[in-house]
Amino acid sequence: MNEVTNEWFQIGKADELITELEQSGGIKELVIKDKKIVLTYHQGKFGALNNKCNHMGGPLSKGKLKNGCIECPWHYWRFNHQTGESVSSEASRHFAPNAGAVPQYTLKVDNEMLFINLVESKRIPATYSMSGNLSREPKREEGKIRVLGLSTTAMDSEYPRFSTSEELLKSALNQGEKELNIEAKFISLSNLNFRHCEGFYSKSERACTWPCSITKFDPADEMKIIYENLVHWADVVLVSTPIRWGNASSLYYKMAERLNSVQNQITLKNKVLIKNKVVGLIITGGQDNIQSVAGQMLTFFGELGFTFPAFPFVAHSLGWSSENMAQNMDYVQKSEYLHQESFELLQRSTQLCQTLINLENKTISMDRVAPRQSPR
Ligand code: FES
């Protein structure tokens, strides 16, 4: 490692740098002795900070200079361009309290030339707090198999309407609570207020975090309820969706995109958050495309780490030429077959999950009694 001494390095002619900075939004990256530095100029004053953001190391020089603050391009945290101290902006939807301070460098103008001293101030790490404790290690609590019924049907929660897929889901949960040894919970995505994915992954894979950056910044974002239940609480998830233009519901996709933060942990850190959990699907629609919807959803949940029972979905549609929705609702409501099939899907899912849990427990106890290998 190169020891950085109390030396001054000449950056360039001050007035030329001012002209250049004024043309580039007041912000520029410098690399001196392998150190990446963000140089700024605002209202007659230069500033120089370490280029690495206090949050996930985003490149500050690629951000914007706003009112004397550098705004990180990844998740928009702000730092005073001269002192490096974090600046919380209540107005920002990405408000980050206690974001610490980024190391700062001393600058001087001598004989019209700008100099920098590479001895940097101490980085003060962020200590922002996040609502809940999502980042804890997933660990199954003892007890009955816990089943989450997740309806993705879009509707106005103040004026709920009849949904065929939700009807089958609720019926399966009710029967399951009576006849199976389970604990059940129902969540409708339409009752949750959550933001869509803002594509941090497209900026850099490291910008997509677990827990999701949006959840950390926005206490009002209710996707945390889904994260908590999928990652930490549920053993079995029964997901229901209508068919909309040959696809699953738009709310399902909105949720799926926010679950990038779970899947990315596997690709980026080899960290599997979903283990020994089972998914079953209930898909209904006035018109067709069941196999395509099921195939897409099975791929997605499989990529998250979920397992599926044999015959992993129950589905119903009246077919392409049918436009009679009232008849469809009536059909589903009265169909003993579909209600029974939905319950049996839950039963298969629960049985498979119990087998996976037993297998895991057996493996753990065998590990405990396995003889130690003697050193060769
Ligand atoms: S705000 Fe800078 S990396 Fe997240």
Side-chain angles (χ1 to χ4, degrees):
M1 194 184 3
N2 285 338
E3 193 187 342
V4 179
T5 54
N6 199 12
E7 291 177 75
W8 290 94
F9 288 84
Q10 185 177 296
I11 300 176
K13 258 190 130 185
D15 58 351
E16 286 176 9
L17 284 163
I18 290 171
T19 309
E20 188 188 339
L21 282 161
E22 280 177 344
Q23 284 168 357
S24 63
I27 196 161
K28 166 188 166 75
E29 183 183 304
L30 301 174
V31 183
I32 305 173
K33 281 205 160 186
D34 293 337
K35 270 185 183 287
K36 286 195 176 173
I37 295 161
V38 53
L39 180 71
T40 46
Y41 184 76
H42 176 69
Q43 293 186 338
K45 287 181 179 152
F46 283 107
L49 303 180
N50 186 299
N51 196 38
K52 224 172 165 187
C53 175
N54 248 11
H55 180 216
M56 301 296 295
L60 294 176
S61 58
K62 301 278 185 291
K64 290 190 176 126
L65 188 63
K66 289 184 176 171
N67 301 324
C69 295
I70 303 176
E71 186 181 83
C72 178
W74 283 4
H75 313 99
Y76 324 117
W77 285 17
R78 291 180 192 176
F79 303 91
N80 180 291
H81 85 117
Q82 286 195 298
T83 65
E85 288 161 357
S86 64
V87 179
S88 299
S89 165
E90 294 282 3
S92 167
R93 295 196 308 144
H94 297 268
F95 172 55
N98 310 323
V102 172
Q104 159 265 342
Y105 301 96
T106 309
L107 297 165
K108 71 175 179 185
V109 178
D110 191 3
N111 205 14
E112 297 184 0
M113 302 301 286
L114 182 66
F115 290 84
I116 185 168
N117 187 324
L118 286 190
V119 177
E120 60 181 33
S121 65
K122 216 166 168 249
R123 184 182 292 274
I124 302 170
T127 56
Y128 68 93
S129 65
M130 187 184 90
S131 46
N133 184 20
L134 281 177
S135 55
R136 70 191 187 273
E137 232 13 75
K139 184 176 174 300
R140 185 181 190 275
E141 300 295 333
E142 293 290 312
K144 296 176 181 177
I145 296 284
R146 290 177 281 272
V147 179
L148 172 66
L150 187 58
S151 166
T152 67
T153 303
M155 65 174 83
D156 183 339
S157 53
E158 281 184 34
Y159 300 94
R161 62 181 172 80
F162 181 81
S163 151
T164 51
S165 56
E166 204 170 288
E167 156 73 16
L168 296 176
L169 173 62
K170 283 182 172 169
S171 153
L173 292 179
N174 287 338
Q175 195 175 346
E177 275 190 308
K178 284 183 202 135
E179 297 179 27
L180 307 171
N181 189 26
I182 62 166
E183 189 182 340
K185 190 188 275 188
F186 171 80
I187 295 179
S188 166
L189 285 185
S190 65
N191 290 334
L192 300 184
N193 192 0
F194 63 104
R195 278 157 65 168
H196 54 75
C197 171
E198 291 169 24
F200 295 132
Y201 188 80
S202 303
K203 298 179 186 181
S204 163
E205 63 270 20
R206 283 188 297 122
C208 183
T209 66
W210 169 254
C212 171
S213 312
I214 294 173
T215 309
K216 291 195 274 191
F217 297 152
D218 187 349
D221 180 78
E222 291 184 319
M223 187 64 196
K224 60 178 176 260
I225 295 171
I226 299 299
Y227 291 138
E228 176 63 37
N229 282 287
L230 280 193
V231 173
H232 294 294
W233 185 81
D235 299 307
V236 171
V237 186
L238 217 49
V239 186
S240 68
T241 182
I243 301 173
R244 296 277 181 258
W245 285 103
N247 288 297
S249 100
S250 56
L251 275 183
Y252 160 77
Y253 284 107
K254 188 178 175 189
M255 173 191 73
E257 288 187 18
R258 288 291 301 278
L259 288 167
N260 284 346
S261 56
V262 173
Q263 199 270 341
N264 284 346
Q265 290 300 298
I266 306 166
T267 44
L268 298 178
K269 298 189 175 168
N270 207 13
K271 185 172 181 180
V272 181
L273 295 169
I274 307 272
K275 275 186 203 154
N276 296 331
K277 294 181 187 258
V278 177
V279 153
L281 307 173
I282 296 173
I283 302 164
T284 64
Q287 294 176 339
D288 215 341
N289 217 17
I290 287 167
Q291 290 179 60
S292 165
V293 173
Q296 200 282 337
M297 292 177 80
L298 290 172
T299 304
F300 171 71
F301 282 105
E303 285 298 297
L304 288 183
F306 282 96
T307 307
F308 311 104
F311 314 109
F313 63 93
V314 170
H316 158 79
S317 85
L318 284 184
W320 176 248
S321 58
S322 173
E323 292 290 348
N324 191 339
M325 290 303 109
Q327 184 200 339
N328 192 42
M329 286 193 283
D330 201 41
Y331 179 90
V332 172
Q333 215 163 7
K334 290 182 181 153
S335 169
E336 282 180 27
Y337 169 79
L338 284 172
H339 285 81
Q340 183 60 22
E341 283 287 303
S342 302
F343 169 68
E344 287 177 16
L345 172 64
L346 172 60
Q347 196 172 31
R348 286 195 299 280
S349 303
T350 307
Q351 282 164 353
L352 173 61
C353 190
Q354 190 61 66
T355 307
L356 293 173
I357 292 167
N358 293 347
L359 210 60
E360 170 91 357
N361 291 341
K362 204 168 157 192
T363 312
I364 290 170
S365 65
M366 277 175 70
D367 282 351
R368 282 200 193 113
V369 295
R372 282 199 185 169
Q373 284 195 336
S374 56
R376 295 185 185 184

